[in-house]
Amino acid sequence: MFDIQENLKKLPDCPGVYMHKDKLGNIIYVGKAVSLKNRVRQYFQSKKNMPPKVRSMVDNIAEFEYITAGSEMEALILECNLIKKYRPKYNVLLRDDKTYPYIKITNEIYPRIVKTRLVKKDGSKYYGPYSDAGAVNKIVDLLNSSFALKRCSASDFPPDFKPCLNYHINQCRGICSGMVDREEYACAVEGAREFLNGRNKKIISRLEEKMYAASEALDFEEAAVCRDYIEAAKALSATQRVVIQQSKDIDIVIPAKGTDETHMVIFFVREGKLSGRETYEMETMPGSDKSELVSAFINQHYSRLPNFPKEILLTNMPEDKEVLERYLAELAGHNVKLTQPQKGEKKALVDLACRDVVEMVKTIDKRAEAARERRHELGNELFEILKTIGAVSGEYDNREFRVEAYDISNTNGVDTVGAMVVFEGLKADKKSYRKFKVRSVTGQDDYGSMREILSRRFNRVYSGDEGFEVLPDIILMDGGKGHVSTALEVIKASGFDIPVVGMVKDEKHRTRALVFRKNESEDFEEISLQSRSMLFRYIGRVQEEVHRFAIEYHRKVRNKRMAVSVLDDIEGIGPARRKALLEHFRSVDNIRGASIEELEAAPSMNRKASENVWKFFHK
């Protein structure tokens, strides 16, 4: 069991990001800290003065995890990345999902320097992200002024074009005048690029001289402007090691040896941003070195993934590097490069990850033990459910159960789809998720729709489809007795013996209980979840996940159908009338069955258009 008080003593006194987790291992809060040691401890002191929301969160914390950072700014940006990735329950989430600003040198004949929040693959050079938007504005202004760079976005200038005010006050070279040498301008842009790459001593020295001169001349306003520029330059000179300038997907693989176990730690860089990590236990032979461990891990781990990045950064390069690269390329369908960086931003990222692993090793064994205990507790709970149903007997053997859950989604019987999600123990196995478009059922018929998708799922086993060959230990239905009965009928007809449980909700649409039919009995029984906190959270998570997956697929199908509708073939029915008809009648079937008078009563319709619709369906 994860001992919170014991692990609080081991927290480092350095900047970083911490993640609070509940009993299922779900991240419920992400925060940053100048000192991890001081900040995380505050949550586990007296609750007397805590706001209700914080008190509620603390009551749900079963363990915590942290990632160290080189500075407060690195922690701030990493916190932003992790919140966007995990969307924790107790964090304040920005709905517009704005990002930190970048400084961009445009890919133009005469490049410009601008601030942007949108990174594109357009050949431009991006610097950042930066947490201080005000400093970014000052630096963009400073560079444009210092190097007299082009500020307007215009690219074509007619012969009689008049230069703007910036040209007349010597803030722009006047590209529009046609008198600017391109090589001379490129040298100025290179000077700005050198500054953004961290070589800013010349400009800062020049600004300091200007500031002191203005101060001696009692021009304090000018001195204050120089001072602000200097502060902005220093604020932006900190290297952001949690971000790679190009939008790349990279994995960082680092071996970590704890007291009793050896682990492999993967840090994920997605779209150029460090966005999290995972830890895996390794069974090793005595005398195995780190290069051997890395080779074995890469071979086994990536062979299970449907896709992975084009580059993997390592601290220990395996001897069979070339063989591994060819193997990974064959698996991924694209070249995969194994790299042990020696300098630059990739080396900075690896160094950051290594420092975090050093701290993590101090608690890694206990964290792994806590994860094992959670898996065991859930496995035991599921085993007891299966034992109650009569599907298993004896004692729990510490295995993880494979769970499949199903749900149906439609809009008034239209665009009906089914969804299947899969969980291996606590973790969702997203590569095994499957979607079904219901073909044989018309109208609102959840049982008929469920019968079709389950029949298709099990028929695919007999057809040799590898994507369906692994059978679940238990099936969870998003529904009650009717859904359970339907599933059992299909499973029996298919020749399988798989227990089925229904996930029943209360009047507030929250998971309340599990319903099942014991062995061959026709009578239903219920298992309350109120006293089973671990199982209650798990079932709720599975139910929400299958519901989400089904709704997303339904919306996709519906939107596609709405874009290309049979109504488009009718004379006089354009996009506006098509939308109005579907909103009024809810389905094409209802439109087909409507009279001319009923059609005419719909918004945007007139007699002629209504007759055209009626004739189209009754010709």
Side-chain angles (χ1 to χ4, degrees):
M1 185 66 69
F2 187 89
D3 189 329
I4 289 179
Q5 294 303 322
E6 188 65 29
N7 281 279
L8 286 174
K9 299 175 184 177
K10 300 177 181 178
L11 284 165
D13 186 13
C14 68
V17 174
Y18 57 91
M19 294 159 281
H20 291 316
K21 296 182 177 183
D22 62 16
K23 288 183 179 180
L24 286 176
N26 298 320
I27 294 174
I28 58 175
Y29 185 77
V30 174
K32 68 179 184 304
V34 177
S35 169
L36 287 166
K37 182 178 182 179
N38 296 335
R39 183 70 186 97
V40 178
R41 278 181 173 181
Q42 292 176 0
Y43 289 100
F44 303 99
Q45 296 172 358
S46 173
K47 299 181 183 178
K48 184 177 179 181
N49 297 320
M50 286 183 180
K53 181 180 177 181
V54 177
R55 194 179 300 120
S56 172
M57 179 189 73
V58 173
D59 289 340
N60 285 284
I61 298 175
E63 65 173 285
F64 58 80
E65 188 175 347
Y66 59 88
I67 299 177
T68 58
S71 66
E72 185 180 3
M73 190 177 294
E74 285 182 5
L76 179 67
I77 295 174
L78 181 54
E79 177 198 36
C80 174
N81 296 341
L82 293 174
I83 289 174
K84 287 179 181 178
K85 177 180 179 181
Y86 294 111
R87 303 190 67 78
K89 177 180 178 180
Y90 289 98
N91 278 97
V92 176
L93 304 176
L94 294 177
R95 297 301 178 190
D96 58 357
D97 199 33
K98 287 183 180 177
T99 59
Y100 288 105
Y102 291 77
I103 294 176
K104 173 182 177 181
I105 300 181
T106 62
N107 182 29
E108 299 172 317
I109 296 176
Y110 292 96
R112 293 174 296 130
I113 294 180
V114 297
K115 183 181 85 169
T116 182
R117 293 181 184 270
L118 186 63
V119 178
K120 299 179 180 179
K121 294 181 180 180
D122 55 3
S124 300
K125 181 67 175 177
Y126 293 87
Y127 297 85
Y130 301 108
S131 59
D132 190 340
V136 170
N137 291 331
K138 289 185 176 68
I139 291 302
V140 169
D141 185 50
L142 170 65
L143 293 176
N144 281 321
S145 299
S146 299
F147 295 100
L149 301 179
K150 178 174 176 284
R151 302 192 185 204
C152 64
S153 59
S155 55
D156 295 321
F157 305 99
D160 58 345
F161 190 90
K162 293 183 179 180
C164 67
L165 180 62
N166 285 320
Y167 172 74
H168 293 293
I169 61 174
N170 298 320
Q171 294 292 299
C172 175
R173 296 168 186 266
I175 307 299
C176 53
S177 67
M179 303 294 290
V180 177
D181 180 71
R182 189 172 173 183
E183 290 186 5
E184 179 187 343
Y185 188 88
C187 288
V189 173
E190 185 59 32
R193 185 178 283 113
E194 288 284 301
F195 175 90
L196 292 171
N197 282 328
R199 292 178 278 277
N200 53 17
K201 289 184 179 179
K202 288 183 180 179
I203 289 184
I204 290 179
S205 296
R206 194 167 72 224
L207 285 170
E208 287 176 342
E209 290 174 5
K210 190 176 179 181
M211 179 179 67
Y212 293 136
S215 180
E216 289 178 3
L218 303 183
D219 188 354
F220 299 115
E221 185 175 342
E222 178 65 20
V225 170
C226 293
R227 178 203 63 202
D228 291 344
Y229 280 147
I230 292 169
E231 290 179 354
K234 290 179 178 178
L236 265 64
S237 65
T239 304
Q240 303 305 320
R241 285 165 290 180
V242 293
V243 175
I244 287 184
Q245 305 297 351
Q246 295 82 17
S247 295
K248 291 184 177 180
D249 287 354
I250 295 173
D251 283 357
I252 304 172
V253 176
I254 301 175
K257 289 197 174 184
T259 307
D260 301 315
E261 301 284 349
T262 299
H263 307 268
M264 297 301 298
V265 186
I266 297 187
F267 290 79
F268 305 106
V269 179
R270 296 296 179 262
E271 296 183 356
K273 300 174 184 178
L274 183 62
S275 61
R277 70 182 179 197
E278 288 285 349
T279 305
Y280 300 87
E281 294 179 32
M282 297 285 288
E283 294 183 7
T284 61
M285 295 293 291
S288 299
D289 62 26
K290 291 184 176 180
S291 296
E292 290 180 272
L293 290 174
V294 170
S295 176
F297 176 76
I298 289 175
N299 187 351
Q300 297 171 44
H301 174 71
Y302 288 99
S303 65
R304 301 182 302 171
L305 302 182
N307 50 65
F308 42 86
K310 295 182 178 180
E311 187 170 14
I312 301 171
L313 304 184
L314 306 173
T315 55
N316 303 87
M317 185 61 69
E319 294 181 3
D320 54 349
K321 173 194 172 187
E322 295 181 358
V323 176
L324 281 173
E325 286 180 336
R326 290 199 299 270
Y327 173 64
L328 293 174
E330 186 176 329
L331 290 174
H334 56 71
N335 289 335
V336 179
K337 186 179 180 182
L338 301 179
T339 308
Q340 187 174 356
Q342 303 298 319
K343 60 181 180 179
E345 57 188 4
K346 293 179 183 177
K347 180 64 164 60
L349 263 178
V350 172
D351 290 344
L352 173 68
C354 286
R355 287 198 301 275
D356 183 66
V357 168
V358 170
E359 291 295 333
M360 190 174 68
V361 164
K362 298 175 183 177
T363 57
I364 198 169
D365 293 320
K366 289 191 176 181
R367 187 173 294 123
E369 182 184 352
R372 286 195 299 271
E373 288 182 1
R374 283 199 307 272
R375 291 195 297 268
H376 178 84
E377 184 179 349
L378 175 65
N380 190 55
E381 292 266 19
L382 290 174
F383 183 83
E384 290 301 318
I385 297 297
L386 292 170
K387 198 171 183 179
T388 303
I389 295 173
V392 296
S393 60
E395 298 297 324
Y396 175 51
D397 57 4
N398 205 34
R399 63 191 171 107
E400 285 191 327
F401 291 101
R402 182 182 176 90
V403 174
E404 285 183 6
Y406 292 85
D407 192 17
I408 298 292
S409 182
N410 59 59
T411 303
N412 296 324
V414 180
D415 299 323
T416 303
V417 301
M420 172 185 116
V421 302
V422 180
F423 277 70
E424 291 280 0
L426 283 165
K427 289 189 176 182
D429 182 12
K430 294 195 174 184
K431 67 178 183 296
S432 297
Y433 284 17
R434 295 294 181 268
K435 299 177 288 191
F436 303 85
K437 189 183 291 184
V438 176
R439 302 164 183 161
S440 63
V441 177
T442 303
Q444 187 80 38
D445 184 358
D446 278 10
Y447 299 153
S449 301
M450 191 62 75
R451 187 175 290 109
E452 179 190 325
I453 68 171
L454 286 171
S455 297
R456 286 164 56 188
R457 185 261 180 268
F458 291 112
N459 287 339
R460 297 288 280 274
V461 177
Y462 289 114
S463 67
D465 190 329
E466 293 182 358
F468 290 88
E469 66 180 3
V470 181
L471 295 174
D473 296 297
I474 185 172
I475 288 177
L476 299 179
M477 306 297 294
D478 188 21
K481 299 176 183 178
H483 290 84
V484 172
S485 296
T486 300
L488 287 172
E489 289 172 13
V490 174
I491 292 169
K492 186 176 181 180
S494 300
F496 297 108
D497 182 17
I498 303 171
V500 179
V501 174
M503 300 178 287
V504 183
K505 295 180 179 178
D506 59 21
E507 65 278 1
K508 295 183 179 179
H509 210 66
R510 296 177 302 190
T511 307
R512 176 180 62 81
L514 299 177
V515 62
F516 66 95
R517 221 168 62 190
K518 192 170 183 178
N519 292 334
E520 298 298 322
S521 171
E522 294 298 319
D523 297 326
F524 285 90
E525 298 181 27
E526 279 195 5
I527 299 174
S528 174
L529 297 175
Q530 297 306 314
S531 60
R532 303 169 181 258
S533 60
M534 168 68 85
L535 194 61
F536 176 78
R537 293 171 184 271
Y538 178 74
I539 295 297
R541 180 183 170 197
V542 172
Q543 194 167 32
E544 289 301 318
E545 177 67 359
V546 70
H547 190 57
R548 175 200 66 79
F549 192 53
I551 286 178
E552 285 185 0
Y553 182 46
H554 166 66
R555 286 174 178 163
K556 183 177 180 181
V557 170
R558 181 191 62 191
N559 293 341
K560 184 176 181 180
R561 190 261 306 160
M562 290 285 282
V564 183
S565 170
V566 66
L567 300 179
D568 291 337
D569 297 330
I570 304 175
E571 183 180 352
I573 303 300
R577 278 180 173 161
R578 179 190 68 196
K579 183 179 179 182
L581 283 170
L582 287 168
E583 287 180 351
H584 184 76
F585 290 98
R586 309 301 298 174
S587 73
V588 174
D589 286 338
N590 291 340
I591 296 171
R592 182 185 290 111
S595 65
I596 294 176
E597 289 72 22
E598 289 172 333
L599 291 166
E600 191 175 0
S604 302
M605 294 294 288
N606 57 30
R607 184 72 181 184
K608 172 115 178 119
S610 300
E611 289 175 350
N612 288 343
V613 172
W614 193 89
K615 289 176 181 177
F616 179 84
F617 287 114
H618 297 85
K619 58 188 175 183

